[in-house]
Amino acid sequence: MKIGLVGLPKSGKTTLFNLLTGSSVATSKYDGGRAELHTGVAGVPDPRVDRLSALFNPKKTTYATFEVVDLAGIEKGERGALDAKEFRNADALLHVVRAFTDDARGAADPKRDILDLEMELILADLEVVDRRLERLEASIKKQRKDAEVKEHEVLGRLKIALESETPLRAASLTPDDARVIRGFTFLSQKPILHLVNVEEKAIAEGERVVERYGLAEVAARQQTRVGWVSAVIEAEIAALEGAEQQAFLADLGLAEPAINRVLRECFTLLGLVSFFTVGEDEVRAWPIPAATRAQDAAGAVHSDIARGFIRAEVNGYDELVAAEGSFDALKKAGRLRLEGKDYLVEDGEVCHFRFNVAK
């Protein structure tokens, strides 16, 4: 799963990309607004993984991850870069919104920037719809095909929504409609997190960004979230370790680096949950879409396990911790379940898959 980073120049977007992925892309590379892309992988902090690792003392500990695509800053009206294939293929969008004064760009106005970005997404999608409708109309005139007539009808309704400045994530679509437009990768249809990038002195009121900047209507939209971070301060926090980092966080009134929260919010925005595999070799969190079947979850570990799937041994994280990592204790207590291929794996469950590739 992949999240696309977008924002105006000087919003702190690339600083955030570096924090999310552990990269070291120079922010000056984006000053000119060139349509450059950078990609990276973000690891999601999870205290449950830490606890399981402490219980099993494995050779390796692996956190859940997701991909991040960083699009160069786009100015209002310059939406050509939004057509980049890697960006359009993102499953969700993270919009970094400036809430600090910049000498070159002046005073901040988060609500304005959010509305401007949403409009660019809408207009980019409208261009795609118009081009496709034009081709469909020409084709239908030559030979009327039911599939093309249906596609024309669905796109016609989406065009009306877009022209009324409604993002497609808020459009009413039936499952059949969704299948018809599945291949279009519409930008305004993707879930979006508007992340308000505040200055240091505003950190104490970070949780009030919705009220402070008049974003209640934005936050109430479908598949839309509003969060906050101070990317510059987070970069300073990331440069510290151990007691020194904890002391700095305490001075700021933070229980943990805010970037940890942002990573979890992105993970949720992507519709992902984690299940765990544990043992002496590795404790690992596996990211899967919510409501994934057990056989498909097994495929996340290895395709052979899915192909030869027999049963999944499943227990809850809390149950395993209470048993101090003892599966024997769970069996005696009747808390180690055997589930079939159609069982829907839940967040935080520990799974061991029985399989036979010879079958």
Side-chain angles (χ1 to χ4, degrees):
M1 300 289 278
K2 182 185 301 182
I3 198 160
L5 237 63
V6 65
L8 295 171
K10 302 289 188 178
S11 62
K13 177 180 56 58
T14 301
T15 299
L16 188 71
F17 171 78
N18 289 337
L19 288 166
L20 291 173
T21 64
S23 302
S24 54
V25 176
T27 56
S28 60
K29 291 174 68 66
Y30 290 90
D31 286 350
R34 298 189 302 277
E36 292 186 62
L37 281 170
H38 283 87
T39 60
V41 175
V44 183
D46 191 332
R48 298 173 301 181
V49 175
D50 299 332
R51 184 72 179 93
L52 291 172
S53 186
L55 280 175
F56 288 90
N57 192 27
K59 297 174 184 176
K60 183 179 181 183
T61 299
T62 306
Y63 296 89
T65 62
F66 59 87
E67 292 184 68
V68 183
V69 177
D70 179 27
L71 183 69
I74 60 167
E75 296 282 8
K76 182 178 180 180
E78 296 180 358
R79 55 187 170 276
L82 295 173
D83 282 330
K85 181 179 179 181
E86 295 89 342
F87 185 74
R88 276 199 171 270
N89 285 341
D91 300 284
L93 301 179
L94 174 57
H95 175 210
V96 183
V97 186
R98 180 173 63 91
F100 53 87
T101 299
D102 179 79
D103 291 339
R105 305 191 71 85
D109 189 339
K111 184 176 182 179
R112 174 202 63 202
D113 290 348
I114 287 173
L115 297 179
D116 284 349
L117 186 278
E118 288 278 25
M119 184 56 63
E120 293 301 324
L121 300 180
I122 287 170
L123 292 174
D125 285 348
L126 185 57
E127 290 175 358
V128 173
V129 169
D130 282 339
R131 288 196 298 267
R132 181 56 181 164
L133 283 173
E134 186 177 344
R135 288 194 291 270
L136 283 171
E137 288 163 4
S139 179
I140 291 171
K141 285 180 181 179
K142 294 178 181 178
Q143 182 179 4
R144 190 177 180 86
K145 298 178 182 178
D146 290 344
E148 290 188 340
V149 171
K150 173 63 175 177
E151 183 181 348
H152 186 277
E153 186 270 329
V154 173
L155 291 178
R157 285 190 278 116
L158 296 188
K159 177 180 171 70
I160 293 172
L162 292 167
E163 288 180 335
S164 66
E165 301 183 2
T166 300
L168 296 185
R169 71 182 76 89
S172 298
L173 294 172
T174 67
D176 282 343
D177 294 341
R179 280 192 289 271
V180 168
I181 66 169
R182 184 169 47 195
F184 282 95
T185 63
F186 288 124
L187 294 173
S188 71
Q189 189 182 18
K190 301 180 190 296
I192 190 167
L193 167 60
H194 299 289
L195 192 66
V196 181
N197 188 7
V198 304
E199 56 192 347
E200 180 181 358
K201 64 182 181 182
I203 287 177
E205 296 186 350
E207 298 297 336
R208 297 185 61 253
V209 291
V210 170
E211 295 83 1
R212 182 176 183 181
Y213 297 110
L215 303 177
E217 185 273 330
V218 172
R221 294 177 180 178
Q222 295 182 40
Q223 299 186 73
T224 301
R225 294 168 177 257
V226 176
W228 70 276
V229 73
S230 177
V232 170
I233 295 303
E234 288 298 310
E236 293 183 21
I237 293 171
L240 303 175
E241 295 180 355
E244 192 175 9
Q245 184 186 84
Q246 290 303 313
F248 189 34
L249 287 170
D251 288 343
L252 294 169
L254 299 176
E256 65 173 347
I259 199 66
N260 291 359
R261 169 177 43 78
V262 174
L263 284 160
R264 292 192 291 266
E265 288 176 346
C266 289
F267 196 70
T268 301
L269 187 71
L270 288 166
L272 297 174
V273 297
S274 293
F275 73 90
F276 308 120
T277 55
V278 299
E280 294 180 357
D281 289 333
E282 183 179 29
V283 165
R284 181 162 183 165
W286 298 89
I288 55 172
T292 292
R293 297 166 59 249
Q295 187 174 21
D296 297 326
V301 179
H302 197 286
S303 58
D304 283 350
I305 301 178
R307 183 164 57 88
F309 182 92
I310 299 173
R311 286 284 187 273
E313 294 181 0
V314 181
N315 62 269
Y317 161 80
D318 289 332
E319 295 169 338
L320 186 58
V321 170
E324 297 183 348
S326 171
F327 287 103
D328 287 339
L330 288 177
K331 287 179 182 178
K332 290 178 182 177
R335 295 187 178 278
L336 192 61
R337 312 188 309 274
L338 287 178
E339 303 289 359
K341 64 181 181 180
D342 292 325
Y343 172 74
L344 301 183
V345 177
E346 297 185 9
D347 181 56
E349 291 187 319
V350 180
C351 299
H352 174 74
F353 300 106
R354 298 182 182 179
F355 70 103
N356 181 0
V357 293
K359 61 182 288 188

